[in-house]
Amino acid sequence: MTSPKSGKIAPSILSADFAHLADEIARVTEAGADMIHVDVMDGHFVPNFTIGPPIVKAIRKVTRLPLDVHLMMTNPEDFISEFIKAGSSYITVHVETCPHLHRTIQSIKEEGVKAGVTLNPATPLSSVEEILGEVDLLLIMSVNPGFGGQSFIPSALEKLRRARKMIDARGAKVELEIDGGVKIENIAAMAQAGADIFVSGSAIFQSKDYKDTIQRMRSAIG
Ligand code: DX5
Ligand code: ZN
């Protein structure tokens, strides 16, 4: 038996118009988004550079939605307190960047912020097995992190199914999130595989009508 799905849609602002970020966030909020996904990239762990704590702080002032901050950076522990002060609701770190993952997760939770862990497409699910009981969120990457607009890697679906089983078998209270290449056409399969939170950047922000897109996604996930 699988646990009930919360079915949250999390638009990734990576594909938003950065010159009008507050308007873009207002539009997806109005369109029914459940949380705002914020992609932090450092130019080291991933070959792209995006935003830091000052932007998270600015965004915090313009939305009531939870901020789902995805840290694609080396040494994330050096910046966790800055991202927490800036108003993050969730902070997700990559298992590939955290040799002391247990400590890193504890330091997020101690500040009252939800702690997530994620893994690249080539990283086995077994790498998060021992930390599952400690995290609030498990994010399965369905693209190699660094850019919006990439195609969904099909093997992520099977990984999602195994992650769902692993969570349910332990009775762990962990939200299961999927990120990368999520669109109206393929989101139902991810819901069936057990995802709770669906991150989507280009499919939402490159559509004409955000509300229509989010509603179609929601009806596809049931
Ligand atoms: C990829 C990021 C994603 C990205 C998703 O490195 O973590 O959150 O914004 O973008 P789409 O939905 O366009 O694949
Ligand atoms: Zn992301």
Side-chain angles (χ1 to χ4, degrees):
M1 204 179 86
T2 55
S3 50
K5 310 296 179 295
S6 43
K8 296 177 185 168
I9 308 282
S12 161
I13 56 166
L14 184 62
S15 293
D17 179 351
F18 275 29
H20 301 99
L21 203 44
D23 291 346
E24 292 275 68
I25 289 171
R27 284 179 66 196
V28 288
T29 303
E30 167 70 15
D34 297 293
M35 54 214 283
I36 301 293
H37 186 81
V38 182
D39 287 307
V40 175
M41 303 184 185
D42 68 346
H44 292 282
F45 177 57
V46 291
N48 199 0
F49 203 90
T50 55
I51 65 184
I55 307 289
V56 174
K57 193 174 173 189
I59 294 168
R60 182 66 288 165
K61 292 180 187 150
V62 302
T63 181
R64 58 179 164 74
L65 295 181
L67 298 182
D68 175 31
V69 177
H70 176 192
L71 298 184
M72 285 159 277
M73 60 188 298
T74 53
N75 303 324
E77 53 286 344
D78 292 351
F79 281 93
I80 280 168
S81 68
E82 287 302 310
F83 281 106
I84 289 173
K85 270 191 251 156
S88 305
S89 314
Y90 290 74
I91 293 188
T92 296
V93 294
H94 271 261
V95 64
E96 299 87 358
T97 65
C98 294
H100 307 291
L101 184 58
H102 186 275
R103 183 186 292 152
T104 306
I105 293 295
Q106 297 310 322
S107 72
I108 298 170
K109 294 201 314 184
E110 273 164 17
E111 300 298 324
V113 168
K114 291 198 177 185
V117 68
T118 184
L119 61 180
N120 282 339
T123 304
L125 199 55
S126 57
S127 64
V128 295
E129 207 176 333
E130 306 302 329
I131 201 71
L132 207 59
E134 303 293 327
V135 298
D136 299 296
L137 179 142
L138 172 61
L139 167 59
I140 303 293
M141 288 306 299
S142 40
V143 295
N144 288 294
F147 303 95
Q150 303 181 82
S151 299
F152 183 84
I153 297 172
S155 60
L157 221 44
E158 175 52 26
K159 203 176 193 179
L160 205 49
R161 276 188 210 108
R162 282 187 284 118
R164 178 82 264 163
K165 275 194 194 144
M166 204 160 116
I167 292 169
D168 290 347
R170 287 161 182 248
K173 230 182 125 224
V174 177
E175 292 182 278
L176 182 58
E177 183 174 49
I178 185 90
D179 183 6
V182 177
K183 38 184 146 176
I184 296 169
E185 297 75 25
N186 61 12
I187 197 169
M190 296 169 216
Q192 280 155 19
D196 301 309
I197 306 177
F198 305 82
V199 176
S200 180
S202 53
I204 293 175
F205 285 104
Q206 284 173 15
S207 69
K208 282 211 175 80
D209 184 339
Y210 299 170
K211 193 169 198 161
D212 181 63
T213 304
I214 290 176
Q215 271 172 0
R216 281 168 191 264
M217 286 179 167
R218 209 178 282 293
S219 65
I221 62 180

